[in-house]
Amino acid sequence: MTDYFSVQLTDDEIRGISIGLAHMGDGVYELLVRTWLCAHGKATGKGLHRATVALVCAPEQAHRAQRILPALTEEEQEVFRLGRNAPHSVPRNASRAEYQQATALEALFGWLYLHGHRERINELFTQMMEE
């Protein structure tokens, strides 16, 4: 049985789903945000959903992505750059630049997750969430 909590794909497999990196990273990022909110008692009840939405929206992701850009390796910067160029449409609540940054962040998190780099994801996420 495949353990989808600990999946690790090869470079070739990941290249084959490059468009899906942001999709994967979106789920990873949202799970991290939900975990962070619960672990830090930042919100309760209805407030949990509102707090999650506030942290996973494109403008907030773009803002927090700026915190980690200097810490990215060359390879991570390349994944971020490729992810930034992926969006074709932009939601109403974000500028094109914000949406590109958010998509780039999600692609990076998807890429790291599928490579099995959980420790690196935690390191970057922690840096993003520092107040």
Side-chain angles (χ1 to χ4, degrees), residues 121-130:
I121 293 170
N122 279 313
E123 181 181 312
L124 293 173
F125 183 76
T126 299
Q127 189 174 344
M128 290 172 59
M129 300 308 285
E130 289 175 350

PDB file of all heavy atoms in Angstrom, residues 121-130:
ATOM      1  N   ILE A 121      10.437  22.343   4.377  1.00  0.00           N
ATOM      2  CA  ILE A 121       9.131  23.000   4.364  1.00  0.00           C
ATOM      3  C   ILE A 121       8.870  23.629   5.722  1.00  0.00           C
ATOM      4  O   ILE A 121       8.453  24.790   5.813  1.00  0.00           O
ATOM      5  CB  ILE A 121       7.996  22.005   4.022  1.00  0.00           C
ATOM      6  CG1 ILE A 121       8.128  21.519   2.586  1.00  0.00           C
ATOM      7  CG2 ILE A 121       6.630  22.643   4.253  1.00  0.00           C
ATOM      8  CD1 ILE A 121       7.203  20.369   2.235  1.00  0.00           C
ATOM      9  N   ASN A 122       9.107  22.879   6.789  1.00  0.00           N
ATOM     10  CA  ASN A 122       8.887  23.397   8.136  1.00  0.00           C
ATOM     11  C   ASN A 122       9.769  24.602   8.426  1.00  0.00           C
ATOM     12  O   ASN A 122       9.325  25.572   9.045  1.00  0.00           O
ATOM     13  CB  ASN A 122       9.114  22.307   9.183  1.00  0.00           C
ATOM     14  CG  ASN A 122       7.918  21.419   9.340  1.00  0.00           C
ATOM     15  OD1 ASN A 122       6.797  21.887   9.450  1.00  0.00           O
ATOM     16  ND2 ASN A 122       8.154  20.120   9.337  1.00  0.00           N
ATOM     17  N   GLU A 123      11.011  24.544   7.992  1.00  0.00           N
ATOM     18  CA  GLU A 123      11.937  25.650   8.202  1.00  0.00           C
ATOM     19  C   GLU A 123      11.428  26.928   7.519  1.00  0.00           C
ATOM     20  O   GLU A 123      11.373  28.000   8.133  1.00  0.00           O
ATOM     21  CB  GLU A 123      13.298  25.243   7.626  1.00  0.00           C
ATOM     22  CG  GLU A 123      14.395  26.248   7.778  1.00  0.00           C
ATOM     23  CD  GLU A 123      15.681  25.723   7.130  1.00  0.00           C
ATOM     24  OE1 GLU A 123      16.054  24.553   7.383  1.00  0.00           O
ATOM     25  OE2 GLU A 123      16.298  26.487   6.370  1.00  0.00           O
ATOM     26  N   LEU A 124      11.034  26.803   6.252  1.00  0.00           N
ATOM     27  CA  LEU A 124      10.548  27.965   5.509  1.00  0.00           C
ATOM     28  C   LEU A 124       9.217  28.467   6.066  1.00  0.00           C
ATOM     29  O   LEU A 124       9.009  29.677   6.217  1.00  0.00           O
ATOM     30  CB  LEU A 124      10.415  27.629   4.028  1.00  0.00           C
ATOM     31  CG  LEU A 124      11.730  27.355   3.303  1.00  0.00           C
ATOM     32  CD1 LEU A 124      11.466  26.854   1.884  1.00  0.00           C
ATOM     33  CD2 LEU A 124      12.613  28.592   3.294  1.00  0.00           C
ATOM     34  N   PHE A 125       8.315  27.538   6.381  1.00  0.00           N
ATOM     35  CA  PHE A 125       7.007  27.929   6.911  1.00  0.00           C
ATOM     36  C   PHE A 125       7.159  28.650   8.249  1.00  0.00           C
ATOM     37  O   PHE A 125       6.517  29.676   8.482  1.00  0.00           O
ATOM     38  CB  PHE A 125       6.091  26.710   7.064  1.00  0.00           C
ATOM     39  CG  PHE A 125       4.723  27.063   7.544  1.00  0.00           C
ATOM     40  CD1 PHE A 125       3.802  27.634   6.682  1.00  0.00           C
ATOM     41  CD2 PHE A 125       4.352  26.832   8.860  1.00  0.00           C
ATOM     42  CE1 PHE A 125       2.527  27.985   7.129  1.00  0.00           C
ATOM     43  CE2 PHE A 125       3.094  27.170   9.309  1.00  0.00           C
ATOM     44  CZ  PHE A 125       2.169  27.747   8.448  1.00  0.00           C
ATOM     45  N   THR A 126       8.024  28.148   9.109  1.00  0.00           N
ATOM     46  CA  THR A 126       8.255  28.791  10.397  1.00  0.00           C
ATOM     47  C   THR A 126       8.769  30.212  10.204  1.00  0.00           C
ATOM     48  O   THR A 126       8.314  31.151  10.872  1.00  0.00           O
ATOM     49  CB  THR A 126       9.248  27.971  11.249  1.00  0.00           C
ATOM     50  OG1 THR A 126       8.679  26.670  11.470  1.00  0.00           O
ATOM     51  CG2 THR A 126       9.553  28.637  12.572  1.00  0.00           C
ATOM     52  N   GLN A 127       9.670  30.379   9.269  1.00  0.00           N
ATOM     53  CA  GLN A 127      10.208  31.705   8.977  1.00  0.00           C
ATOM     54  C   GLN A 127       9.100  32.634   8.459  1.00  0.00           C
ATOM     55  O   GLN A 127       9.033  33.806   8.814  1.00  0.00           O
ATOM     56  CB  GLN A 127      11.324  31.588   7.942  1.00  0.00           C
ATOM     57  CG  GLN A 127      12.096  32.855   7.719  1.00  0.00           C
ATOM     58  CD  GLN A 127      13.282  32.634   6.785  1.00  0.00           C
ATOM     59  OE1 GLN A 127      13.702  31.509   6.542  1.00  0.00           O
ATOM     60  NE2 GLN A 127      13.820  33.711   6.260  1.00  0.00           N
ATOM     61  N   MET A 128       8.208  32.098   7.642  1.00  0.00           N
ATOM     62  CA  MET A 128       7.112  32.899   7.109  1.00  0.00           C
ATOM     63  C   MET A 128       6.134  33.340   8.186  1.00  0.00           C
ATOM     64  O   MET A 128       5.563  34.432   8.101  1.00  0.00           O
ATOM     65  CB  MET A 128       6.322  32.084   6.072  1.00  0.00           C
ATOM     66  CG  MET A 128       7.065  31.829   4.800  1.00  0.00           C
ATOM     67  SD  MET A 128       6.180  30.679   3.731  1.00  0.00           S
ATOM     68  CE  MET A 128       4.647  31.550   3.487  1.00  0.00           C
ATOM     69  N   MET A 129       5.948  32.514   9.193  1.00  0.00           N
ATOM     70  CA  MET A 129       4.930  32.772  10.204  1.00  0.00           C
ATOM     71  C   MET A 129       5.436  33.573  11.396  1.00  0.00           C
ATOM     72  O   MET A 129       4.660  33.931  12.279  1.00  0.00           O
ATOM     73  CB  MET A 129       4.312  31.459  10.686  1.00  0.00           C
ATOM     74  CG  MET A 129       3.645  30.655   9.589  1.00  0.00           C
ATOM     75  SD  MET A 129       2.442  31.587   8.612  1.00  0.00           S
ATOM     76  CE  MET A 129       1.097  31.661   9.782  1.00  0.00           C
ATOM     77  N   GLU A 130       6.725  33.873  11.430  1.00  0.00           N
ATOM     78  CA  GLU A 130       7.256  34.666  12.539  1.00  0.00           C
ATOM     79  C   GLU A 130       6.620  36.050  12.530  1.00  0.00           C
ATOM     80  O   GLU A 130       6.503  36.685  11.486  1.00  0.00           O
ATOM     81  CB  GLU A 130       8.784  34.794  12.405  1.00  0.00           C
ATOM     82  CG  GLU A 130       9.504  33.501  12.692  1.00  0.00           C
ATOM     83  CD  GLU A 130      10.999  33.578  12.443  1.00  0.00           C
ATOM     84  OE1 GLU A 130      11.476  34.587  11.870  1.00  0.00           O
ATOM     85  OE2 GLU A 130      11.689  32.614  12.795  1.00  0.00           O
TER      86      GLU A 130
END
